[in-house]
Every structure is written in structure tokens, then in C-alpha cells.
Amino acid sequence: MGRSIKTPLCERLEIDLPIFSAGMGPIAGPELVAAVSNAGGLGVLGCTTMSPEQVRTVIRSTRELTDRPFGVDLILPARIDQGGATITDVATQIPSAHREAAARIATDLGVNRSERSTNHEPDRNALGTDAEAQIQVVLEEGVPVFVGALGSPGFVVDRFHEAGAVVMSVVGNTKQAVSVARDGADVVIAQGTEGGGHTGHVGTLALLPQVLDAVEVPVVAAGGIGDGRGLAAALVMGCEAVWIGTRFLATEEAGIAGWQKAGLVNAADQSPVISRAYTGKRFRLLPNQWTEAWEAADLDPLPMPLQPVLTELTLGSWATDSGGKEGISMNGAGNIVGLVKEVVPAAEVVRQMAQNALACLDDMPPRGTGAR
Ligand SMILES: Cc1cc2nc3c(=O)[nH]c(=O)nc-3n(C[C@H](O)[C@H](O)[C@H](O)COP(=O)(O)O)c2cc1C
């Protein structure tokens, strides 16, 4: 390998390759994260749905599997002052029309009440309401990279900087990019609408050059990147790394069920849709019986954390569990899913992506020939 794709951001993070695996709830657990970091990229744990103690456990488990740098990703609430609202607290705020509709759908789908309740913890804090306590653990454990999604990380930037960590923020448009950079984020991850999970309205190819022009900090490309061509394109534009979700779902280490991985292999580019059924926010996923029944019920989605609590109360741990249940488990996926042809070790994804990106960059016709 004569050429290198190591960027200044790689140097700063002390990693070899500009390939990050995205935080994806518990799917991005210690096995996936360690595999990506051991392969020279940066694995990022998805800790949003975990209690502070679980966050500590997965960080420590990851450290047992790798001595390379890795990160933690958390969805940040719009306001941090709602700390500690439990599932039971939030449930009282759910309108009865939504509860009744959800209960009817559950009956139609044959969701078994007692099975559904397994692992259900009414005292657990609702999604996004525990961020302060989760962040405290990430700081205590000395994780070198913190990634905040949805909300701005502005309120924690100083604490992470004092701890020597790099703060990244996932955004979906240029205005958000400018705002989080102004709030002190060290790196902006710009995700186009084609990305899996929570997603905005602007396509990756339109978003990246505008964000690159608007902020001084390094930009990481996300949304629809699944192979070396996507990585090469991002680097040519001026991005310093890629943040990849969907392609890492179909790996041996990803924490989803086998039938979900098979579903990804069989899906096409147009298979994923946007649904608010699980979290109340736009989430790109492969549709299933729950999303379709929710759509047909024609109810306004509730704001976070109400909608995720409604989903959990209705579907139980099946909603987001790695164990999964066909028809009701959330299957996040982006439009690049059609590129996924087989389930492979995560290290293989990293290796091939890096190798193919280098080949693309070597093959590029010289500037100004019009063939570019
Ligand atoms: C199944 C799934 C779950 C996700 N969960 C989270 C999450 O918990 N936190 C987060 O910041 N992003 C989450 N995302 C978004 C990813 O971090 C990432 O931005 C996105 O997958 C990138 O686009 P791609 O799927 O085209 O690679 C999720 C994505 C998927 C596919």
C-alpha cells in the first residue's frame, strides 16, 4: 500500500483508518465495537437505552476486548432538566387514545401480554431522560470519544474537554452543524437522509459540501456509505472519516437476531421507509407489522420520550431487544442496505472498505480531464 487514507482526525484519535462504526443502541455492543477498533477504525458503543450501570459494564467489557480507542454514543434530550423520569412517570402522560390504539394493535398482532412483559422495568428511566447520569459514567470511565446525537452536546463539552476526550455531534442539516460547532463540538458528523435510524431531510451528497463550507472543525460523512467507493468519495470531498451504521448491521458481531441479518441481506435500496412508530421522530427502518399498523391507525406520533415508552409498554422488550421478534422488532436500516449481500466479520468490512477506497483513489483520472 503506497498511499494512505489516514487523515489528521485519525492522527488525533490515534487510529489507523477513517472508518467509524456508528452507535446503534445495544446493537453496537462491545463485540462490534472492539472488532472495528481492533481492525484499525473507531468503534462506537450505542448506550442510549442503557442504565448508567449498564453503560459502565459495556465500557469495561469493551476494554477487555480491545486496547484501542473507542467511543460512546448517546441520544441527547432537547432539555437536560428532565433528568430521571421513569417509564412509569412518562406513561401517565400518554393520551388514552394512543394507549387504546396501541393495545388494539398489540392484540391484532398477537403480542402475548406476559411474554411481552419479560425484562420490562417500570423503574428504568425513559429514553433520553437519563443522559446526565449516563454522561457522568462515560466521564468516569475515561472514554476518549463522546458522540451526541439529536441534541447539541454544548452542555457537556467543557467536562469532556477537561477529561481529554473528543466530542462529536451528529447533525442532519447545515444549520445544526453550525450550531453544534459553535457550542464547542470538536467534530461534526453530517448524516444524510438516506442513513438508517433517526434521520433528517437532506441527502448526503447535498449535505456534505455545504457542511464542509460552513464549519471549521473536521467533518465526518454519514448516511448511505457502505463500501470503499463511498469512503473514497467522502475523503475526496474533504471529510476526515465516515460514520457507518447499516453496513455494520450485517456483521457477525452486530447485536441483532439472525432473521434480522437475513432481512438486511434480502432488502433492496428502496426497502427502508421513514416511520415515527417507535420513537416519535423520523426513523429510517425496514417496515414491519407494527409500523404498518401504526401508520394505518392514523394517530399523531407522540414526542420523545412518550412514543418510545408507549412502544415499550405495548411491545415490551421485543421492541428493541437484540433477541428480536419478527413483525414487531425495530429494524433500523438505511438505503445502502441493497449493497449488503452477506453477513461477514466486521473486521472484513473495515479491511475491504479501506482497500477499495485506496484503489478508487489510485484509479481516479487526473483533475481537469472531465472524466472525474
Ligand atoms: C439500527 C440502527 C440503530 C441506530 N441507533 C442509533 C442510536 O442509538 N444513536 C445514534 O446516534 N444513531 C443511531 N443510528 C444512526 C447511526 O448512528 C448512523 O448515523 C446511521 O446508521 C448512518 O447511516 P447508514 O445507516 O447509511 O450507515 C442507528 C442506525 C441504525 C441503522
Side-chain angles (χ1 to χ4, degrees):
M1 256 194 254
R3 269 169 91 159
S4 163
I5 52 172
K6 199 165 180 175
T7 63
L9 182 57
C10 295
E11 305 278 358
R12 182 169 172 190
L13 300 174
E14 298 178 3
I15 59 174
D16 295 327
L17 297 169
I19 299 171
F20 302 174
S21 64
M24 296 186 282
I27 298 166
E31 294 74 20
L32 178 61
V33 168
V36 171
S37 288
N38 284 335
L42 182 83
V44 178
L45 289 165
C47 292
T48 294
T49 57
M50 296 176 191
S51 69
E53 276 321 300
Q54 286 170 323
V55 174
R56 199 183 302 281
T57 302
V58 291
I59 291 171
R60 291 186 178 177
S61 303
T62 307
R63 286 230 160 90
E64 278 169 22
L65 300 172
T66 184
D67 54 8
R68 310 292 306 255
F70 64 92
V72 163
D73 167 279
L74 288 174
I75 287 181
L76 300 176
R79 299 189 345 257
I80 200 70
D81 58 0
Q82 56 189 344
T86 65
I87 301 271
T88 307
D89 298 335
V90 173
T92 60
Q93 300 166 39
I94 296 173
S96 55
H98 286 75
R99 280 173 164 280
E100 286 157 19
R104 273 197 304 276
I105 295 171
T107 307
D108 290 349
L109 299 183
V111 178
N112 180 309
R113 228 187 143 71
S114 55
E115 282 180 34
R116 159 201 88 149
S117 302
T118 322
N119 296 337
H120 175 59
E121 303 164 55
D123 295 335
R124 184 168 58 71
N125 283 354
L127 184 68
T129 67
D130 221 3
E132 178 57 42
Q134 293 167 321
I135 285 165
Q136 192 51 41
V137 171
V138 182
L139 284 162
E140 283 166 17
E141 292 296 316
V143 177
V145 175
F146 174 72
V147 183
L150 295 188
S152 171
F155 67 98
V156 285
V157 159
D158 288 347
R159 282 191 279 161
F160 275 109
H161 286 169
E162 274 163 34
V166 174
V167 177
M168 307 191 185
S169 176
V170 186
V171 301
N173 60 52
T174 306
K175 190 175 166 196
Q176 287 171 353
V178 170
S179 162
V180 301
R182 203 175 40 221
D183 286 349
D186 302 300
V187 174
V188 168
I189 301 175
Q191 187 198 297
T193 183
E194 51 268 64
H198 288 123
T199 201
H201 298 266
V202 186
T204 304
L205 207 51
L207 181 64
L208 293 179
Q210 298 187 69
V211 171
L212 281 157
D213 282 352
V215 300
E216 302 279 323
V217 295
V219 175
V220 173
I225 297 162
D227 65 10
R229 292 170 294 185
L231 170 56
L235 295 175
V236 167
M237 273 205 197
C239 297
E240 295 202 26
V242 291
W243 165 261
I244 292 179
T246 301
R247 185 60 194 91
F248 280 117
L249 288 174
T251 58
E252 287 171 7
E253 296 87 350
I256 51 174
W259 63 266
Q260 289 175 295
K261 292 181 186 175
L264 293 162
V265 170
N266 292 327
D269 50 4
Q270 83 280 16
S271 305
V273 298
I274 300 269
S275 170
R276 292 180 188 257
Y278 285 95
T279 72
K281 286 187 176 288
R282 291 162 48 88
F283 196 101
R284 194 177 291 285
L285 46 65
L286 297 175
N288 61 15
Q289 290 172 330
W290 169 248
T291 60
E292 283 166 6
W294 181 262
E295 222 51 62
D298 204 24
L299 289 164
D300 288 337
L302 300 169
M304 277 175 83
L306 272 64
Q307 185 79 18
V309 167
L310 175 67
T311 313
E312 175 160 345
L313 290 173
T314 310
L315 306 178
S317 49
W318 281 331
T320 50
D321 233 20
S322 48
K325 184 170 168 69
E326 209 154 357
I328 60 175
S329 284
M330 176 160 75
N331 287 329
N335 295 111
I336 199 68
V337 70
L339 207 69
V340 174
K341 300 283 186 265
E342 57 182 340
V343 177
V344 294
E348 188 56 21
V349 172
V350 175
R351 195 191 61 75
Q352 272 190 18
M353 196 173 283
Q355 192 182 345
N356 293 344
L358 274 168
C360 287
L361 294 168
D362 279 342
D363 285 352
M364 274 180 43
R367 281 173 197 271
T369 60
R372 196 168 171 174

